[in-house]
Amino acid sequence: MKTVRDTPDLKDKKILVRTDFDVPVENGKIRQSLRVQKQKPLIDQLVLAGSKVLLVAHISAIDSFSVIFGELEQLLGRKIIFIKTPEDIAGFLAGSKPLGLLENTRTWPGEKDNDQSLAQRLAQGFDFYINNDFAVCHREHASVVAITKLLSVYAGPLIVEEVKQLKRALTEPVQDKIVIMGGAKASTKVPVIKSFLRNAQAVLVGGIIANDILKARGQDVQQSIVDDDAEKLLAGVDLTDKRLWVPSDFVIDDGKFLDIGAESIGRFIGEIRTAKMIIWNGPMGMFEKDKFMVGTKAIAEAIVNSSAFSIIGGGDTISAVDQLGLLGKFSFVSTGGGAMLMFLGNQKLPGLDALGYYE
Ligand code: ADP
Ligand code: MG
């Protein structure tokens, strides 16, 4: 995989940069800006070196970057030209301003279909392409994959860092590490659980995914939220595996298991204290409500107070931990949600593949 160190002299080069500005937005304001902050070093490096840089990114929470444009400029500490359509790129490249951002790529027909003609429209006039958006690497989209057929490609420093840290999670000795999984979307989490049941000391499970496992084991989960297809998804998982830890008690509201209970917290914390490496994705309960934040808070505190190397990821996990004021205390915070899970589940990511990572 070629990186920014391998690029030709950056001065006066026209560079297309896939960036990650996919932040949560509430009432027109960015709620959590980690992803934007992690783009700043590369943007600074390229602009200071005299490159002309077009940022290409998507956002899921809103349709248009116009809503948060001022905040983006502030977080990056730079004036940015807002480029409304791919047809306006040529004008930007001909002008004198060094930094532009193209409107939300997901609004361009063909982006999600990895359409080669959209990639062609984006690539026109550029010297090369840098991908610095790890969190989109599980998507086979035009600005991630098709574009790499048209320009020479380099991995940005964020991708290099993510891959290095997450690889560490896979290669650390089995007896030293534990994995904590929670939240929703079983389809993305089961492959990780499967992979780490063979490659970790313990997999501690909370959230909706714990309800799924309990239900599949034949336990009564009352009115709890479960994934419809959970049983099918869990098919390859040995539900009696001693390394698979599920909660033994819950905070129940209206018949729903909405947080792990005190006894489970105690057991989980005991295990956390023994680990040298901890990988965590997914809140233990419905943390958006204070009374169901208790399990997530206890787990977060136990991790940061342990001596383990800690890796966390997932949009809601990061939001929860940030809300607790603990985000800076984890050893590595991955910007990847689905991409991190796919990487940890030992699946091939199309975006990394397009950068030559698996060659
Ligand atoms: P991440 O974004 O960190 O990967 P997920 O999106 O998978 O996390 O899951 C977070 C969501 O799961 C939150 O909205 C939270 O309220 C919900 N959740 C967690 N546990 C429960 C539960 N027991 N019952 C209902 N919702 C839950
Ligand atoms: Mg989420």
Side-chain angles (χ1 to χ4, degrees):
M1 191 164 72
K2 284 197 207 146
T3 72
V4 174
R5 281 195 205 152
D6 305 311
T7 55
D9 181 20
L10 294 168
K11 179 139 180 56
D12 296 326
K13 289 294 186 306
K14 299 183 174 85
I15 313 174
L16 190 66
V17 186
R18 212 335 171 156
T19 35
D20 185 358
F21 296 149
D22 190 21
V23 287
V25 176
E26 231 169 57
N27 304 321
K29 290 250 173 302
I30 297 177
R31 187 160 50 79
Q32 217 294 320
S33 63
L34 176 83
R35 286 178 163 179
V36 179
Q37 290 169 35
K38 289 220 182 189
Q39 294 299 321
K40 189 170 171 9
L42 175 65
I43 294 168
D44 285 345
Q45 181 191 349
L46 299 178
V47 172
L48 291 174
S51 310
K52 192 183 254 303
V53 180
L54 178 68
L55 309 174
V56 184
H58 75 275
I59 184 155
S60 333
I62 47 176
D63 291 332
S64 171
F65 277 125
S66 59
V67 178
I68 56 161
F69 206 78
E71 268 192 288
L72 288 176
E73 287 187 313
Q74 213 164 32
L75 285 162
L76 296 169
R78 296 193 175 274
K79 182 99 196 85
I80 307 171
I81 307 293
F82 189 31
I83 295 152
K84 295 205 174 69
T85 77
E87 280 54 54
D88 300 325
I89 296 173
F92 165 71
L93 288 178
S96 63
K97 299 291 192 313
L99 186 60
L101 168 63
L102 180 65
E103 178 64 290
N104 188 3
T105 53
R106 297 246 169 115
T107 61
W108 309 122
E111 166 68 357
K112 290 188 193 169
D113 306 318
N114 198 30
D115 180 50
Q116 204 63 41
S117 61
L118 174 61
Q120 192 78 51
R121 281 160 75 205
L122 297 177
Q124 205 68 39
F126 287 94
D127 293 309
F128 53 86
Y129 166 85
I130 298 172
N131 185 353
N132 203 39
D133 183 351
F134 176 72
V136 81
C137 282
H138 61 316
R139 304 279 188 208
E140 196 172 342
H141 288 178
S143 68
V144 182
V145 176
I147 192 94
T148 63
K149 306 272 192 301
L150 303 169
L151 296 168
S152 15
V153 300
Y154 302 89
L158 181 64
I159 289 194
V160 172
E161 175 72 2
E162 290 271 2
V163 164
K164 182 179 141 205
Q165 300 289 0
L166 296 179
K167 217 173 152 189
R168 222 173 132 166
L170 293 175
T171 54
E172 185 84 358
V174 175
Q175 68 273 17
D176 292 340
K177 67 188 160 194
I178 66 165
V179 174
I180 306 168
M181 299 287 298
K185 290 179 289 187
S187 60
T188 61
K189 311 216 170 179
V190 171
V192 183
I193 293 174
K194 263 188 202 164
S195 149
F196 280 110
L197 278 176
R198 276 176 266 120
N199 187 20
Q201 194 53 39
V203 179
L204 319 184
V205 179
I208 294 171
I209 181 87
N211 298 341
D212 291 340
I213 293 173
L214 291 169
K215 191 173 172 218
R217 278 183 173 181
Q219 255 168 274
D220 181 13
V221 295
Q222 302 178 29
Q223 311 304 312
S224 295
I225 299 167
V226 288
D227 289 282
D228 301 330
D229 50 350
E231 245 159 293
K232 214 168 87 196
L233 287 167
L234 287 163
V237 179
D238 176 7
L239 298 174
T240 63
D241 193 322
K242 291 270 186 302
R243 291 184 179 189
L244 182 60
W245 293 44
V246 288
S248 44
D249 61 337
F250 297 89
V251 179
I252 303 173
D253 193 61
D254 216 9
K256 292 190 179 79
F257 298 178
L258 292 177
D259 197 5
I260 60 174
E263 182 188 286
S264 309
I265 291 174
R267 287 168 49 231
F268 284 14
I269 287 178
E271 187 66 8
I272 287 169
R273 289 205 181 110
T274 68
K276 291 199 180 117
M277 177 181 270
I278 300 168
I279 301 134
W280 180 24
N281 167 273
M284 293 293 101
M286 196 191 255
F287 74 96
E288 293 92 340
K289 292 213 170 114
D290 281 350
K291 54 179 175 171
F292 309 122
M293 171 66 127
V294 178
T296 302
K297 181 168 187 266
I299 296 303
E301 283 171 349
I303 296 173
V304 301
N305 291 327
S306 78
S307 56
F309 185 88
S310 53
I311 298 178
I312 61 164
D316 291 288
T317 311
I318 290 172
S319 284
V321 166
D322 196 18
Q323 224 169 292
L324 296 166
L326 297 173
L327 194 58
K329 302 208 165 160
F330 288 81
S331 315
F332 180 66
V333 180
S334 174
T335 57
M340 165 176 154
L341 293 170
M342 212 166 157
F343 192 93
L344 293 177
N346 271 315
Q347 294 162 283
K348 207 175 200 179
L349 280 67
L352 290 184
D353 199 19
L355 293 172
Y357 175 69
Y358 300 100
E359 275 154 35

